[in-house]
Amino acid sequence: MTTIHDASVESPCTSVCKMDERTGWCLGCMRTIDEIASWSVLDEAAKRRIGESLDVRRAQFEVAGFKAG
């Protein structure tokens, strides 16, 4: 039986690869350049932790009056 924690975590990339200078986050996926660069070698738990932070980052970005990609 496969649980959600056993499933591989897909990349959140949206092919909008432009970094915001103010936050250091990609306007498409909200990851940092280090998170993007290391994605392929991270374990699933690390990918899930990053993924869980992306909605919070997007909300912070929009509350600050910026527009995400």
Side-chain angles (χ1 to χ4, degrees):
M1 179 159 104
T2 301
T3 66
I4 189 133
H5 295 292
D6 295 331
S8 66
V9 179
E10 291 187 33
S11 170
C13 181
T14 62
S15 297
V16 177
C17 302
K18 183 176 179 187
M19 302 308 287
D20 179 76
E21 292 179 19
R22 296 165 296 224
T23 62
W25 300 334
C26 172
L27 293 175
C29 67
M30 295 286 127
R31 291 180 292 169
T32 66
I33 195 72
D34 290 338
E35 291 167 342
I36 293 166
S38 64
W39 189 262
S40 65
V41 297
L42 293 174
D43 63 27
E44 299 305 302
K47 290 178 182 180
R48 275 193 295 279
R49 282 191 299 275
I50 291 169
E52 291 167 358
S53 70
L54 300 180
D55 287 337
V56 173
R57 290 179 189 176
R58 187 172 306 281
Q60 289 172 336
F61 192 76
E62 292 174 0
V63 164
F66 304 127
K67 179 75 172 139

PDB file of all heavy atoms in Angstrom, residues 40-59:
ATOM      1  N   SER A  40      16.787  18.180  -7.362  1.00  0.00           N
ATOM      2  CA  SER A  40      16.977  16.814  -7.864  1.00  0.00           C
ATOM      3  C   SER A  40      17.745  15.909  -6.896  1.00  0.00           C
ATOM      4  O   SER A  40      17.683  14.687  -7.027  1.00  0.00           O
ATOM      5  CB  SER A  40      17.687  16.831  -9.222  1.00  0.00           C
ATOM      6  OG  SER A  40      18.995  17.352  -9.081  1.00  0.00           O
ATOM      7  N   VAL A  41      18.421  16.487  -5.924  1.00  0.00           N
ATOM      8  CA  VAL A  41      19.177  15.656  -4.974  1.00  0.00           C
ATOM      9  C   VAL A  41      18.574  15.650  -3.564  1.00  0.00           C
ATOM     10  O   VAL A  41      19.075  14.955  -2.684  1.00  0.00           O
ATOM     11  CB  VAL A  41      20.667  16.084  -4.905  1.00  0.00           C
ATOM     12  CG1 VAL A  41      21.341  15.879  -6.255  1.00  0.00           C
ATOM     13  CG2 VAL A  41      20.805  17.508  -4.425  1.00  0.00           C
ATOM     14  N   LEU A  42      17.510  16.401  -3.360  1.00  0.00           N
ATOM     15  CA  LEU A  42      16.858  16.423  -2.044  1.00  0.00           C
ATOM     16  C   LEU A  42      16.068  15.140  -1.820  1.00  0.00           C
ATOM     17  O   LEU A  42      15.527  14.561  -2.764  1.00  0.00           O
ATOM     18  CB  LEU A  42      15.898  17.613  -1.947  1.00  0.00           C
ATOM     19  CG  LEU A  42      16.523  18.997  -1.949  1.00  0.00           C
ATOM     20  CD1 LEU A  42      15.435  20.060  -2.004  1.00  0.00           C
ATOM     21  CD2 LEU A  42      17.397  19.189  -0.725  1.00  0.00           C
ATOM     22  N   ASP A  43      15.971  14.734  -0.569  1.00  0.00           N
ATOM     23  CA  ASP A  43      15.110  13.582  -0.277  1.00  0.00           C
ATOM     24  C   ASP A  43      13.657  14.059  -0.246  1.00  0.00           C
ATOM     25  O   ASP A  43      13.365  15.255  -0.269  1.00  0.00           O
ATOM     26  CB  ASP A  43      15.520  12.892   1.033  1.00  0.00           C
ATOM     27  CG  ASP A  43      15.392  13.761   2.274  1.00  0.00           C
ATOM     28  OD1 ASP A  43      14.562  14.689   2.307  1.00  0.00           O
ATOM     29  OD2 ASP A  43      16.121  13.493   3.244  1.00  0.00           O
ATOM     30  N   GLU A  44      12.748  13.110  -0.232  1.00  0.00           N
ATOM     31  CA  GLU A  44      11.319  13.431  -0.324  1.00  0.00           C
ATOM     32  C   GLU A  44      10.840  14.285   0.853  1.00  0.00           C
ATOM     33  O   GLU A  44      10.011  15.177   0.681  1.00  0.00           O
ATOM     34  CB  GLU A  44      10.488  12.152  -0.428  1.00  0.00           C
ATOM     35  CG  GLU A  44      10.820  11.307  -1.665  1.00  0.00           C
ATOM     36  CD  GLU A  44      10.706  12.073  -2.968  1.00  0.00           C
ATOM     37  OE1 GLU A  44       9.617  12.601  -3.266  1.00  0.00           O
ATOM     38  OE2 GLU A  44      11.714  12.157  -3.704  1.00  0.00           O
ATOM     39  N   ALA A  45      11.374  14.058   2.038  1.00  0.00           N
ATOM     40  CA  ALA A  45      10.974  14.846   3.206  1.00  0.00           C
ATOM     41  C   ALA A  45      11.361  16.315   3.026  1.00  0.00           C
ATOM     42  O   ALA A  45      10.573  17.215   3.335  1.00  0.00           O
ATOM     43  CB  ALA A  45      11.601  14.282   4.477  1.00  0.00           C
ATOM     44  N   ALA A  46      12.541  16.566   2.506  1.00  0.00           N
ATOM     45  CA  ALA A  46      12.989  17.941   2.276  1.00  0.00           C
ATOM     46  C   ALA A  46      12.136  18.605   1.204  1.00  0.00           C
ATOM     47  O   ALA A  46      11.770  19.778   1.324  1.00  0.00           O
ATOM     48  CB  ALA A  46      14.463  17.962   1.875  1.00  0.00           C
ATOM     49  N   LYS A  47      11.802  17.861   0.156  1.00  0.00           N
ATOM     50  CA  LYS A  47      10.935  18.406  -0.893  1.00  0.00           C
ATOM     51  C   LYS A  47       9.560  18.754  -0.332  1.00  0.00           C
ATOM     52  O   LYS A  47       8.989  19.795  -0.665  1.00  0.00           O
ATOM     53  CB  LYS A  47      10.789  17.406  -2.039  1.00  0.00           C
ATOM     54  CG  LYS A  47      12.057  17.235  -2.847  1.00  0.00           C
ATOM     55  CD  LYS A  47      11.854  16.189  -3.921  1.00  0.00           C
ATOM     56  CE  LYS A  47      13.122  15.966  -4.727  1.00  0.00           C
ATOM     57  NZ  LYS A  47      12.942  14.947  -5.776  1.00  0.00           N
ATOM     58  N   ARG A  48       9.029  17.899   0.537  1.00  0.00           N
ATOM     59  CA  ARG A  48       7.725  18.183   1.149  1.00  0.00           C
ATOM     60  C   ARG A  48       7.788  19.437   2.021  1.00  0.00           C
ATOM     61  O   ARG A  48       6.877  20.267   1.994  1.00  0.00           O
ATOM     62  CB  ARG A  48       7.247  16.999   1.984  1.00  0.00           C
ATOM     63  CG  ARG A  48       6.525  15.943   1.174  1.00  0.00           C
ATOM     64  CD  ARG A  48       5.796  14.941   2.069  1.00  0.00           C
ATOM     65  NE  ARG A  48       6.712  14.161   2.883  1.00  0.00           N
ATOM     66  CZ  ARG A  48       7.390  13.102   2.464  1.00  0.00           C
ATOM     67  NH1 ARG A  48       7.259  12.696   1.213  1.00  0.00           N
ATOM     68  NH2 ARG A  48       8.182  12.450   3.273  1.00  0.00           N
ATOM     69  N   ARG A  49       8.875  19.594   2.783  1.00  0.00           N
ATOM     70  CA  ARG A  49       9.017  20.789   3.633  1.00  0.00           C
ATOM     71  C   ARG A  49       9.036  22.059   2.782  1.00  0.00           C
ATOM     72  O   ARG A  49       8.386  23.055   3.114  1.00  0.00           O
ATOM     73  CB  ARG A  49      10.280  20.708   4.485  1.00  0.00           C
ATOM     74  CG  ARG A  49      10.146  19.811   5.690  1.00  0.00           C
ATOM     75  CD  ARG A  49      11.315  19.959   6.655  1.00  0.00           C
ATOM     76  NE  ARG A  49      12.601  19.621   6.068  1.00  0.00           N
ATOM     77  CZ  ARG A  49      13.105  18.387   5.982  1.00  0.00           C
ATOM     78  NH1 ARG A  49      12.422  17.357   6.454  1.00  0.00           N
ATOM     79  NH2 ARG A  49      14.291  18.182   5.444  1.00  0.00           N
ATOM     80  N   ILE A  50       9.766  22.018   1.690  1.00  0.00           N
ATOM     81  CA  ILE A  50       9.798  23.170   0.789  1.00  0.00           C
ATOM     82  C   ILE A  50       8.401  23.406   0.217  1.00  0.00           C
ATOM     83  O   ILE A  50       7.899  24.530   0.227  1.00  0.00           O
ATOM     84  CB  ILE A  50      10.821  22.969  -0.345  1.00  0.00           C
ATOM     85  CG1 ILE A  50      12.241  22.998   0.215  1.00  0.00           C
ATOM     86  CG2 ILE A  50      10.651  24.037  -1.434  1.00  0.00           C
ATOM     87  CD1 ILE A  50      13.311  22.546  -0.759  1.00  0.00           C
ATOM     88  N   GLY A  51       7.790  22.351  -0.260  1.00  0.00           N
ATOM     89  CA  GLY A  51       6.455  22.469  -0.846  1.00  0.00           C
ATOM     90  C   GLY A  51       5.447  23.070   0.111  1.00  0.00           C
ATOM     91  O   GLY A  51       4.606  23.885  -0.283  1.00  0.00           O
ATOM     92  N   GLU A  52       5.529  22.698   1.369  1.00  0.00           N
ATOM     93  CA  GLU A  52       4.603  23.218   2.374  1.00  0.00           C
ATOM     94  C   GLU A  52       4.807  24.709   2.622  1.00  0.00           C
ATOM     95  O   GLU A  52       3.884  25.399   3.042  1.00  0.00           O
ATOM     96  CB  GLU A  52       4.753  22.431   3.674  1.00  0.00           C
ATOM     97  CG  GLU A  52       4.245  21.011   3.553  1.00  0.00           C
ATOM     98  CD  GLU A  52       4.669  20.109   4.708  1.00  0.00           C
ATOM     99  OE1 GLU A  52       5.400  20.578   5.607  1.00  0.00           O
ATOM    100  OE2 GLU A  52       4.263  18.937   4.682  1.00  0.00           O
ATOM    101  N   SER A  53       5.981  25.219   2.347  1.00  0.00           N
ATOM    102  CA  SER A  53       6.251  26.640   2.580  1.00  0.00           C
ATOM    103  C   SER A  53       5.833  27.528   1.406  1.00  0.00           C
ATOM    104  O   SER A  53       5.714  28.741   1.567  1.00  0.00           O
ATOM    105  CB  SER A  53       7.738  26.854   2.867  1.00  0.00           C
ATOM    106  OG  SER A  53       8.504  26.643   1.699  1.00  0.00           O
ATOM    107  N   LEU A  54       5.571  26.946   0.250  1.00  0.00           N
ATOM    108  CA  LEU A  54       5.342  27.749  -0.950  1.00  0.00           C
ATOM    109  C   LEU A  54       4.041  28.546  -0.906  1.00  0.00           C
ATOM    110  O   LEU A  54       4.004  29.698  -1.343  1.00  0.00           O
ATOM    111  CB  LEU A  54       5.408  26.876  -2.205  1.00  0.00           C
ATOM    112  CG  LEU A  54       6.758  26.167  -2.397  1.00  0.00           C
ATOM    113  CD1 LEU A  54       6.735  25.337  -3.667  1.00  0.00           C
ATOM    114  CD2 LEU A  54       7.917  27.147  -2.395  1.00  0.00           C
ATOM    115  N   ASP A  55       2.959  27.972  -0.386  1.00  0.00           N
ATOM    116  CA  ASP A  55       1.703  28.717  -0.283  1.00  0.00           C
ATOM    117  C   ASP A  55       1.851  29.891   0.673  1.00  0.00           C
ATOM    118  O   ASP A  55       1.310  30.974   0.434  1.00  0.00           O
ATOM    119  CB  ASP A  55       0.561  27.809   0.176  1.00  0.00           C
ATOM    120  CG  ASP A  55       0.095  26.852  -0.913  1.00  0.00           C
ATOM    121  OD1 ASP A  55       0.324  27.159  -2.111  1.00  0.00           O
ATOM    122  OD2 ASP A  55      -0.502  25.817  -0.577  1.00  0.00           O
ATOM    123  N   VAL A  56       2.596  29.690   1.756  1.00  0.00           N
ATOM    124  CA  VAL A  56       2.836  30.772   2.713  1.00  0.00           C
ATOM    125  C   VAL A  56       3.636  31.885   2.039  1.00  0.00           C
ATOM    126  O   VAL A  56       3.314  33.066   2.175  1.00  0.00           O
ATOM    127  CB  VAL A  56       3.570  30.247   3.969  1.00  0.00           C
ATOM    128  CG1 VAL A  56       3.982  31.386   4.889  1.00  0.00           C
ATOM    129  CG2 VAL A  56       2.705  29.242   4.695  1.00  0.00           C
ATOM    130  N   ARG A  57       4.659  31.523   1.303  1.00  0.00           N
ATOM    131  CA  ARG A  57       5.472  32.518   0.603  1.00  0.00           C
ATOM    132  C   ARG A  57       4.619  33.300  -0.397  1.00  0.00           C
ATOM    133  O   ARG A  57       4.721  34.522  -0.491  1.00  0.00           O
ATOM    134  CB  ARG A  57       6.638  31.867  -0.136  1.00  0.00           C
ATOM    135  CG  ARG A  57       7.686  31.320   0.777  1.00  0.00           C
ATOM    136  CD  ARG A  57       8.787  30.674  -0.025  1.00  0.00           C
ATOM    137  NE  ARG A  57       9.696  29.954   0.845  1.00  0.00           N
ATOM    138  CZ  ARG A  57      10.712  29.230   0.408  1.00  0.00           C
ATOM    139  NH1 ARG A  57      10.972  29.144  -0.888  1.00  0.00           N
ATOM    140  NH2 ARG A  57      11.487  28.592   1.266  1.00  0.00           N
ATOM    141  N   ARG A  58       3.802  32.581  -1.165  1.00  0.00           N
ATOM    142  CA  ARG A  58       2.956  33.243  -2.166  1.00  0.00           C
ATOM    143  C   ARG A  58       2.015  34.235  -1.477  1.00  0.00           C
ATOM    144  O   ARG A  58       1.843  35.369  -1.940  1.00  0.00           O
ATOM    145  CB  ARG A  58       2.166  32.219  -2.972  1.00  0.00           C
ATOM    146  CG  ARG A  58       1.409  32.831  -4.135  1.00  0.00           C
ATOM    147  CD  ARG A  58       0.790  31.779  -5.045  1.00  0.00           C
ATOM    148  NE  ARG A  58       1.749  30.803  -5.539  1.00  0.00           N
ATOM    149  CZ  ARG A  58       2.604  31.003  -6.537  1.00  0.00           C
ATOM    150  NH1 ARG A  58       2.622  32.161  -7.155  1.00  0.00           N
ATOM    151  NH2 ARG A  58       3.421  30.043  -6.922  1.00  0.00           N
ATOM    152  N   ALA A  59       1.427  33.846  -0.359  1.00  0.00           N
ATOM    153  CA  ALA A  59       0.528  34.737   0.374  1.00  0.00           C
ATOM    154  C   ALA A  59       1.286  35.959   0.892  1.00  0.00           C
ATOM    155  O   ALA A  59       0.793  37.087   0.795  1.00  0.00           O
ATOM    156  CB  ALA A  59      -0.136  33.987   1.523  1.00  0.00           C
TER     157      ALA A  59
END
